[in-house]
Amino acid sequence: MRSPREPRETKAGLEPLAVLPVFVPLHGKRAVLAGSGGGAPWKVKLLAAAGAEVDVYAPEASEELRAVPAEIVSGRVTLHDRAWTPDDLAGAAFAIGAMEDEADCVAFVAAARAAGAIVNAVDRPHLCDVKFGAIVNRSPLVVGISTEGAAPVFGQTVRARIEAMLPRGFSHWVAAARDWREQVTTRFHGFADRRFFWERFTERAFAEPDRSPDAADLAELLGDTEAAPKGGAVTLVGAGPGDAELLTLKALRSLRNADVILYDDLVAPAILDYARREARTMLVGKTGHGPSCRQDDINALMVQLARSGKQVVRLKSGDPLVFGRAGEEIEACRAAGIPVTVVPGVSAAQGAAASLGVSLTHRDAARRLQFVTGHDRRGQLPEDINWGALADPSVTTIVYMPKRTLRALLERAVAEGLASTTPALVVFNATRPNQASVRGTADDLADQIEAAGLEGPAILMVGEALSEARAAALAAEAVEKVAV
């Protein structure tokens, strides 16, 4: 009997940051740049683009730097044809040293800090309070990218990729969000309502990025928010077998909307990265033949959280409707009057078959596909398996949770009429980086599994449709031996 296990709250901290990404408002504030070293013209343009009033002190300004005041479209730039003095830094919010001489730059940085300014020194990271990164400008939407100086070209390539992904029309949508925010906040006092509004706003922006939103959009979004169901709810979400890229768009939306996420041990950690940072995460894991949370406790926790007004996501590996005990959780929610919906996911069988390039219903070998559980409530081989159906040569059988009973299941299947030469394979950790598979037949697969000593969630596949995959694997092994 498995040991009981209590649901426990988890909260993964941020991975270490090389730098803290922050955004500095400079509109109407004074900024100073001293010197005319490389990069000075671009830095002045950046400060002015942020709305700063920039004073440039450069006794020998380059032609490029002298041309900057006539090129700006925001802020103000004044060029002073002389060296800087400490008095020039009074009232500066931001200061940049762009001089060639190290000693002069050190003195400037010290004076700027004494004046209370944020300081950047061009090409001298050891003197910087802040550093400039690559920028994607869809203002008011601004994306900053930093590699902390490790790979500038890589950072520029990332910037180019993001530039291509973000429609320029997003600037209009973000500007509308800025203009509408006060009205939305005044109209909806509850956080859940405001989040609902902005989620629908974002969906519309992504659906129609190239047009400017107008008053009709605002009115419709406000109406939709007023009419939206109130109170907590539960959503059962399929996380897929492991690869985060197999999440559906609806699953992503559910994760981003969740206040609380109750997740199983088999859910890949990368999946949780898609949740809101503010969301609570609670491990309610069930491990095969190991310590597990009681299903009644999970049901009660879901209902309790939803009754308190929370949007609860019950996150399950694979598809929640395939051996995920979703029926019991749906029933518990309905009995408590809690709205419950299901977001299907890519099942372990689908993920494993796709990663191996195997068709589970090959038209020449399988006319039927069946899913079977490898153990019953006691953890033993189920007594009520339809052995005749499993022995049918025209069927592909997928067995979930097969590790403990695999040998007994295959031996019984052969005894009940399954051909001992029927292709069979087990996939461990399907779709994950450490995926591994063991191929054999119904007669010898159990021995091969024991010899392999692999760990992790496993799925068993049996049927003639797998013969093509087995032939391909044997051919690959033969090529490798010849190469050696």
Side-chain angles (χ1 to χ4, degrees):
M1 184 174 180
R2 291 183 292 187
S3 303
R5 181 185 195 182
E6 294 298 322
R8 63 183 177 86
E9 189 153 356
T10 62
K11 194 62 182 178
L14 280 173
E15 294 295 323
L17 289 169
V19 291
L20 179 67
V22 295
F23 295 89
V24 182
L26 290 177
H27 187 80
K29 296 182 180 179
R30 185 165 179 265
V32 171
L33 183 140
S36 58
W42 177 244
K43 295 295 195 299
V44 174
K45 291 179 181 178
L46 281 175
L47 293 172
E53 298 179 358
V54 189
D55 287 300
V56 181
Y57 298 92
E60 299 178 359
S62 65
E63 289 300 317
E64 185 182 1
L65 185 56
R66 290 184 183 280
V68 169
E71 297 174 357
I72 65 167
V73 295
S74 180
R76 174 189 60 78
V77 174
T78 304
L79 184 60
H80 304 274
D81 194 10
R82 63 174 176 82
W84 70 279
T85 68
D87 291 341
D88 295 326
L89 291 159
F94 203 103
I96 298 177
M99 50 279 289
E100 300 292 341
D101 183 72
E102 172 83 8
D104 193 15
C105 192
V106 169
F108 175 82
V109 168
R113 286 177 177 157
I118 299 170
V119 182
N120 173 269
V122 177
D123 292 333
R124 291 183 173 87
H126 59 288
L127 297 178
C128 293
D129 294 332
V130 294
K131 302 167 187 176
F132 289 86
I135 294 174
V136 178
N137 186 13
R138 301 289 185 269
S139 195
L141 174 65
V142 178
V143 181
I145 302 157
S146 171
T147 63
E148 184 56 357
V153 174
F154 185 85
Q156 289 296 329
T157 302
V158 171
R159 181 200 63 78
R161 295 289 181 91
I162 296 176
E163 283 275 8
M165 290 170 55
L166 289 182
R168 293 195 173 275
F170 274 1
S171 61
H172 302 303
W173 285 91
V174 181
R178 178 189 57 202
D179 296 339
W180 297 350
R181 179 162 293 279
E182 184 176 353
Q183 184 173 349
V184 173
T185 301
T186 302
R187 181 81 164 266
F188 304 112
H189 299 292
F191 174 75
D193 286 338
R194 294 197 299 273
R195 193 175 74 204
F196 181 92
F197 176 93
W198 292 116
E199 286 164 356
R200 299 305 177 271
F201 171 92
T202 301
E203 290 171 7
R204 189 168 294 201
F206 273 85
E208 304 177 86
D210 296 323
R211 72 171 180 87
S212 298
D214 54 26
D217 290 293
L218 176 59
E220 188 174 343
L221 289 167
L222 290 173
D224 289 347
T225 304
E226 289 280 8
K230 310 302 179 186
V234 172
T235 306
L236 275 57
V237 176
D243 184 349
E245 293 187 357
L246 294 178
L247 280 173
T248 66
L249 292 175
K250 200 165 187 177
L252 282 173
R253 188 180 301 118
S254 298
L255 286 172
R256 290 168 181 164
N257 293 348
D259 297 311
V260 186
I261 299 171
L262 310 179
Y263 69 98
D264 289 339
D265 286 89
L266 295 182
V267 172
I271 303 291
L272 294 174
D273 290 341
Y274 289 99
R276 291 190 305 121
R277 294 297 179 192
E278 301 86 354
R280 291 171 60 193
T281 56
M282 300 185 71
L283 177 63
V284 292
K286 289 176 172 292
T287 56
H289 314 294
S292 296
C293 292
R294 291 183 291 264
Q295 187 63 51
D296 287 345
D297 292 342
I298 298 172
N299 295 347
L301 182 59
M302 283 192 311
V303 169
Q304 174 193 341
L305 290 167
R307 278 181 171 161
S308 69
K310 303 298 184 184
Q311 297 299 314
V312 182
V313 161
R314 176 70 174 98
L315 189 62
K316 297 169 173 287
S317 178
D319 185 295
L321 302 176
V322 180
F323 298 120
R325 301 189 72 170
E328 296 167 64
E329 295 175 352
I330 292 170
E331 183 180 345
C333 290
R334 288 176 175 167
I338 300 297
V340 57
T341 56
V342 180
V343 177
V346 174
S347 69
Q350 291 171 305
S355 62
L356 294 175
V358 175
S359 173
L360 298 177
T361 56
H362 194 290
R363 65 183 302 175
D364 295 327
R367 292 188 296 275
R368 186 161 54 86
L369 175 65
Q370 62 186 3
F371 294 164
V372 178
T373 179
H375 62 76
D376 58 19
R377 290 178 179 271
R378 304 166 300 146
Q380 305 299 316
L381 185 66
E383 291 294 332
D384 57 354
I385 290 178
N386 185 335
W387 297 104
L390 199 150
D392 184 348
S394 67
V395 67
T396 301
T397 302
I398 309 297
V399 183
Y400 280 72
M401 300 163 285
K403 288 195 292 186
R404 172 173 287 192
T405 62
L406 185 141
R407 180 179 293 279
L409 185 147
L410 290 176
E411 288 178 352
R412 176 75 179 273
V414 171
E416 295 285 350
L418 178 69
S420 62
T421 56
T422 304
L425 62 87
V426 172
V427 181
F428 291 84
N429 305 299
T431 78
R432 305 186 188 210
N434 60 337
Q435 174 178 307
S437 60
V438 179
R439 295 173 172 85
T441 65
D443 185 56
D444 63 16
L445 183 62
D447 291 335
Q448 294 195 49
I449 292 295
E450 289 183 4
L454 295 171
E455 296 294 335
I459 191 163
L460 168 65
M461 301 180 176
V462 181
E464 290 298 335
L466 306 175
S467 60
E468 185 178 348
R470 186 176 179 220
L474 292 173
E477 291 176 5
V479 171
E480 290 179 3
K481 290 178 180 179
V482 171
V484 174

